[in-house]
Amino acid sequence: MTFARLAVLGLAALMLASCTREMPPTDKDLIERFEAKRATFEALRKRLCDLKYDQTITRDWAQPQMAAKDEKDFRALLDEVGARSVRYVRGCQLWIEMWSSGPGRDTARKKYRYGPPMYRIIEIKKPEPGEPPEKDTNEYLDKRVSIASYEKNIEGDWWVELDHWQ
């Protein structure tokens, strides 16, 4: 092979490698992380549920009504569990985003959710004995639906949730 062909192949390989997306964590990975960091998740939930207003906190932004010290404390909790952001809605509903991919309409998010079951989400039930193994919510990525949300119960009001739009 000539040098030019090798250079073109190398460039093509680099371009393909840069197009690959970070893979979403599996439900099992998220459940194991939840169990290992349960105290931190509960501390985050309790502190957010004590708020008297809705709040969004990301790694580099929070709504202005939050004091700088509280914002710093919440970011430390997010870092401890490896989260990208948290969204809290009064009534003690929260979403802790762990992974996201794609812009605009071609996006997917995997997160923890705290709160009662939601009517708009398809719950992935645990299989009965003798049924095929439980599906991971990642198996529903890239299915031909416009908007879909799937959740799997961890325990109580804690859930693993997958949302995607196409």
Side-chain angles (χ1 to χ4, degrees):
M1 266 194 193
T2 66
F3 178 75
R5 285 186 181 171
L6 285 173
V8 169
L9 284 174
L11 183 59
L14 284 173
M15 289 174 64
L16 285 174
S18 68
C19 293
T20 59
R21 293 184 186 181
E22 173 191 353
M23 293 303 295
T26 65
D27 298 344
K28 182 180 178 202
D29 293 339
L30 289 177
I31 291 168
E32 286 173 356
R33 182 181 306 197
F34 178 82
E35 290 170 351
K37 303 277 185 177
R38 179 185 304 270
T40 307
F41 280 101
E42 287 296 340
L44 186 59
R45 178 197 59 80
K46 181 167 181 359
R47 296 237 5 235
L48 285 165
C49 290
D50 286 345
L51 295 178
K52 305 290 187 239
Y53 50 87
D54 295 355
Q55 182 66 48
T56 298
I57 305 160
T58 69
R59 289 187 174 169
D60 53 16
W61 180 83
Q63 291 171 307
Q65 69 265 34
M66 179 164 277
K69 182 197 176 309
D70 292 337
E71 186 178 330
K72 184 179 176 184
D73 293 344
F74 277 112
R75 282 211 184 95
L77 292 170
L78 290 177
D79 285 345
E80 191 172 329
V81 298
R84 295 175 175 210
S85 66
V86 64
R87 169 85 177 118
Y88 167 75
V89 177
R90 282 173 289 183
C92 206
Q93 290 273 338
L94 57 118
W95 293 263
I96 303 169
E97 184 177 304
M98 301 304 287
W99 172 87
S100 63
S101 175
R105 287 190 47 121
D106 185 26
T107 191
R109 290 184 172 80
K110 196 133 185 199
K111 54 198 159 196
Y112 295 99
R113 184 176 69 77
Y114 179 84
M118 299 183 78
Y119 70 91
R120 67 174 178 81
I121 295 177
I122 301 165
E123 183 179 349
I124 311 299
K125 305 281 187 186
K126 290 184 178 170
E128 295 294 324
E131 291 183 348
E134 184 175 10
K135 284 187 175 183
D136 189 282
T137 55
N138 292 349
E139 292 184 36
Y140 298 97
L141 282 170
D142 301 323
K143 299 293 185 219
R144 295 196 174 272
V145 293
S146 295
I147 301 173
S149 294
Y150 303 91
E151 69 182 6
K152 185 181 289 183
N153 186 254
I154 300 173
E155 68 175 40
D157 285 338
W158 282 103
W159 305 81
V160 168
E161 185 175 288
L162 169 74
D163 293 329
H164 71 93
W165 298 265
Q166 291 180 332

